Amino acid sequence: MADDLNWHRDADVVVLGSGGAALTAAIAAYDFGAKDVVILEKSGMVGGTTAMSGGMLWIPNNLYQQEAGIEDSDDDVVAYLDALAPGALDPDTLGAFLERGPEMIRYFVEKTPVRFHAYADFPDYQPYLPGAKAGGGRSLDNEAFSFEQLGKWAARVNPTKMAYPVRGSLMEAINGTLDEATVAEREAGDYRGLGQALIGALFKAVLDREIPVEFEKRARKLVKAGDRVIGVIAEDADGRDYRVRARRGVVIATGGFEWNERLVKAFLRGPLTGPVSVPENEGDGLLMAIEAGAQLGNMQNAFWQQSVLEFKPQHRAAKPNYLLGSDERARPGAILVNRAGKRFVNEAANYNAMGKALHAFDAGTHSYANLPYWLIIDQRYKEKYPTFTSPPGGPIPPYMIRADTLEELAKQAGIDPQGLAATVARFNQMVRNGHDDDFSRGDNSYDNFYMWGDPAFDPPYRTLGLIDQGPYYAVKMESGALGTCGGPKTNGDAQVLDWAGNPIPGLYAAGNAMAAVLGEAYGGAGGTLGPGMTFGYIAGKHLGTHIPNRLT
């Protein structure tokens, strides 16, 4: 009998994972009444992909938006999201996100070291759709956080994906408002921004509450007594069982399944070749939920992101490291082309929407028309802008190809030479004319947002620029993802549902481990973390305030 297992420890709540959604769930569960909370983390580090990310949260109607006088409404949000994912939104979970997201932000600002501000200039990712906020306000940025507050635990936070430490908020970094004295002061205090700031502050809240984190405990199996989940069996670093009983419930917040090739091929709508998340995201939570009888949702989708394989560094478990590919393609003097040498997308479009363009299928050749694909730049670009890990004018990294002519570059990369030459010639003429007639690049506020383009120029030249100064460079790009966004379906209380639509008692999910609240929609910066942390908060609060009828 499950009740008779030789448990290694008991807890009110067991949280699986340690990313933003997981830490939020643990803090909320503790604060709202479940005083015995434990976090099981697969690796030896905390933070998951959240720590490596930009750390922004997309939360409509947040308190900072209201304080700034930026008007918003649920009707506008629903209109916008419905335009992004027509007919795919679940009223129960969407309603919970709209109501509890602002509540979560207010609570964490009042009760933890987490601090945000509204990035008022950051537009929604499709600012031309009904209900969108072209002027921003829905995306929240993190204030810098001093890792000195974590003491010895600072070394346990996953590193950033950025090429260099960001010592301020994203807004400070982009606007260049940090003077040398402030930067020196921030460095001395080990201040960090972006996802590092978010995880650092959340981890500090966990430490303040003395919530234990059990490292190198890979959750493998949920334990049920009848229909109720009463615990979890994990595996320690030596492969031995570690059994934890959960008197109130278990929260699956283990991330997606993007590093599990078998699951990727089984579920996703198209190839995923370069995940930029932590390599521990192998679908452990998904597999446990399936075995427990969970209903699944949104399994074909991911939070798509363009990436580049970096040859030198290797992740844990000798897995390859992929670099983020958002900025380079949107700057003046850069285009993306397929193997025919043709452009196929607005290079300044948001990363999630662009990911879907990579899955265009050519029935004639029975292949994906836009895979593989390459970033093309010239010497002017190389000298002026950073390119992934290569600083302006810096050495050519191993993943970059160089040639004196476009035709020679194409031959080296495996691109059609005539196609590339013709494409660049046409693109340059459109740049001179001041309009991208093929893909309307530079026609909306997001395309010209100065985070991606060059603020030294006026639209559309913040993103449009000539490619005409040799030598020329090519970088092979990957169909990447920040994470998958399919998994067990939940209700508005973050309870996992079975195939009859009933909650599985004692089982909750949040973050990328659950079926995404917004389906395939990605509203704006923080479109992953905003809903993920909201449902972590919902799960934790429900577990803290609802005591099961039958304690085990």
Side-chain angles (χ1 to χ4, degrees):
M1 292 290 293
D3 288 341
D4 298 329
L5 279 177
N6 182 22
W7 302 100
H8 290 95
R9 74 175 298 163
D10 285 8
D12 289 331
V13 175
V14 180
V15 178
L16 309 181
S18 68
L23 298 184
T24 301
I27 294 164
Y30 181 93
D31 284 6
F32 285 100
K35 296 305 180 186
D36 191 357
V37 179
V38 63
I39 297 169
L40 301 187
E41 166 54 42
K42 178 178 180 178
S43 74
M45 307 287 281
V46 300
T49 303
T50 306
M52 306 166 74
S53 74
M56 298 188 77
L57 278 68
W58 193 76
I59 302 286
N61 276 314
N62 63 76
L63 69 93
Y64 299 97
Q65 190 179 7
Q66 295 165 5
E67 289 174 355
I70 302 173
E71 294 185 3
D72 206 351
S73 70
D74 286 353
D75 288 344
D76 279 349
V77 180
V78 172
Y80 176 54
L81 294 174
D82 194 51
L84 290 173
L89 302 175
D90 173 59
D92 187 27
T93 52
L94 177 60
F97 170 61
L98 295 179
E99 178 184 354
R100 308 295 279 282
E103 176 187 326
M104 180 269 294
I105 294 297
R106 188 176 296 276
Y107 184 86
F108 272 73
V109 169
E110 292 176 352
K111 303 294 185 180
T112 76
V114 176
R115 295 293 180 268
F116 301 105
H117 56 256
Y119 204 150
D121 295 334
F122 210 128
D124 284 342
Y125 278 179
Q126 278 83 22
Y128 45 84
L129 291 179
K133 285 294 177 186
R138 290 171 176 166
S139 291
L140 296 177
D141 188 13
N142 292 276
E143 299 291 348
F145 178 80
S146 172
F147 268 48
E148 283 190 344
Q149 297 184 54
L150 298 178
K152 66 178 183 180
W153 296 104
R156 287 283 196 173
V157 177
N158 265 327
T160 180
K161 271 278 185 177
M162 306 303 158
Y164 55 90
V166 177
R167 298 299 182 183
S169 68
L170 187 64
M171 184 183 295
E172 289 174 324
I174 292 172
N175 293 340
T177 55
L178 290 176
D179 56 38
E180 291 185 8
T182 304
V183 171
E185 182 180 333
R186 297 272 180 89
E187 288 178 348
D190 196 12
Y191 278 83
R192 307 185 195 181
L194 314 183
Q196 293 277 289
L198 179 58
I199 287 297
L202 288 171
F203 193 26
K204 181 63 165 62
V206 166
L207 296 173
D208 288 345
R209 288 158 176 78
E210 298 183 348
I211 298 171
V213 179
E214 295 277 0
F215 291 104
E216 297 184 331
K217 299 294 190 298
R218 181 178 188 175
R220 286 292 200 181
K221 182 180 178 62
L222 298 170
V223 180
K224 297 178 77 174
D227 63 347
R228 171 175 288 281
V229 171
I230 63 166
V232 62
I233 299 175
E235 180 181 280
D236 69 16
D238 296 319
R240 297 171 300 198
D241 280 356
Y242 183 75
R243 297 176 292 277
V244 184
R245 179 161 53 181
R247 289 183 288 266
R248 298 195 185 191
V250 174
V251 182
I252 297 175
T254 51
F257 57 87
E258 60 273 11
W259 284 92
N260 187 318
E261 185 177 355
R262 179 167 58 94
L263 294 176
V264 164
K265 289 181 177 179
F267 289 115
L268 290 185
R269 53 174 284 157
L272 193 168
T273 60
V276 297
S277 60
V278 291
E280 288 80 23
N281 290 354
E282 298 175 295
D284 296 348
L286 172 63
L287 294 173
M288 286 185 287
I290 290 173
E291 187 177 4
Q295 182 184 162
L296 304 181
N298 205 45
M299 294 302 296
Q300 72 276 26
N301 294 312
F303 297 122
W304 303 106
Q305 170 66 276
Q306 297 67 59
S307 64
V308 172
L309 174 62
E310 185 180 23
F311 296 131
K312 184 176 54 177
Q314 296 291 306
H315 260 316
R316 297 184 289 273
K319 291 186 177 179
N321 184 44
Y322 294 94
L323 305 171
L324 291 167
S326 294
D327 300 6
E328 287 77 8
R329 56 180 169 76
R331 297 191 186 111
I335 58 172
L336 296 175
V337 300
N338 58 23
R339 60 182 176 272
K342 296 180 179 180
R343 293 177 68 218
F344 56 90
V345 73
N346 169 6
E347 291 90 349
N350 84 79
Y351 42 85
N352 185 59
M354 183 176 291
K356 299 172 186 178
L358 299 177
H359 296 150
F361 195 76
D362 185 336
T365 62
H366 204 74
S367 64
Y368 289 97
N370 300 324
L371 288 173
Y373 70 114
W374 290 263
L375 173 78
I376 305 296
I377 61 174
D378 68 358
Q379 186 63 27
R380 179 196 292 113
Y381 184 109
K382 182 72 175 66
E383 292 177 354
K384 187 172 185 178
Y385 303 116
T387 313
F388 309 108
T389 57
S390 179
I396 300 171
Y399 49 79
M400 185 177 288
I401 301 170
R402 178 189 182 277
D404 290 334
T405 67
L406 287 168
E407 289 81 2
E408 180 59 32
L409 184 74
K411 290 176 184 177
Q412 290 188 43
I415 304 169
D416 179 72
Q418 287 72 36
L420 178 60
T423 292
V424 172
R426 174 171 174 76
F427 180 75
N428 284 342
Q429 188 57 54
M430 290 189 295
V431 172
R432 293 185 185 99
N433 294 339
H435 188 261
D436 177 8
D437 296 335
D438 292 341
F439 298 102
S440 301
R441 176 175 168 185
D443 280 8
N444 65 71
S445 60
Y446 179 80
D447 289 6
N448 290 291
F449 181 50
Y450 53 83
M451 177 176 176
W452 314 122
D454 189 331
F457 300 106
D458 292 328
Y461 294 107
R462 282 185 176 176
T463 185
L464 292 180
L466 296 171
I467 306 173
D468 63 356
Q469 291 187 9
Y472 300 92
Y473 302 87
V475 178
K476 185 177 181 292
M477 305 286 288
E478 303 290 336
S479 174
L482 300 169
T484 54
C485 54
K489 286 183 68 67
T490 71
N491 60 17
D493 290 322
Q495 294 173 293
V496 173
L497 303 176
D498 64 20
W499 285 100
N502 300 313
I504 298 174
L507 186 59
Y508 297 73
N512 288 2
M514 68 178 280
V517 179
L518 307 184
E520 64 177 314
Y522 202 101
T528 303
L529 283 175
M533 285 182 59
T534 297
F535 268 73
Y537 172 77
I538 291 171
K541 186 173 182 179
H542 196 269
L543 280 160
T545 55
H546 291 73
I547 301 175
N549 292 328
R550 176 173 169 269
L551 296 178
T552 58

